[in-house]
Amino acid sequence: MATKKPTRESELTDRQKEFAVKIGERIRELRIAKGHNSYEDFAYENDISRSQFGRYERGASDMRMSSFLKILDSLGITPKEFFGKGFDKK
């Protein structure tokens, strides 16, 4: 009987999952604040996989740094602006 290979999501620690959710919430907050109500339209307009972008916003997927920076560029913000709010709380 074959064993199921763990997914990348299941390999994340609880702390990593919590942080991924916070990152996703912040991305969603900024996207909406910039006037992009549909995550699918935002992803399409910025040449980002819609399904993957949805997973990022839900914190359901580990994100590569290159993807994170592409999203920040698409939002027109810097990493400092991104992390300036809400990441100082435990």
Side-chain angles (χ1 to χ4, degrees):
M1 181 194 272
T3 58
K4 184 177 178 184
K5 182 179 176 185
T7 63
R8 287 183 52 87
E9 180 183 350
S10 67
E11 294 172 356
L12 299 178
T13 66
D14 288 342
R15 185 162 188 238
Q16 289 169 326
K17 288 177 187 176
E18 180 182 336
F19 195 67
V21 167
K22 286 183 95 171
I23 294 273
E25 289 171 349
R26 181 75 171 132
I27 289 171
R28 183 177 189 275
E29 171 189 321
L30 291 166
R31 172 183 53 80
I32 292 170
K34 298 281 183 172
H36 301 279
N37 293 323
S38 166
Y39 82 88
E40 292 173 322
D41 290 345
F42 176 83
Y44 180 78
E45 291 168 11
N46 292 287
D47 196 31
I48 302 168
S49 164
R50 290 180 299 250
S51 59
Q52 187 62 40
F53 185 75
R55 287 190 289 273
Y56 292 155
E57 280 201 355
R58 291 188 310 277
S61 182
D62 197 12
M63 188 182 325
R64 291 178 182 233
M65 184 59 65
S66 58
S67 298
F68 178 68
L69 293 174
K70 182 175 185 174
I71 291 168
L72 293 187
D73 286 346
S74 297
L75 290 167
I77 63 169
T78 66
K80 183 177 180 179
E81 292 168 317
F82 182 86
F83 288 109
K85 178 183 174 193
F87 283 88
D88 54 349
K89 300 173 189 167
K90 184 141 182 144

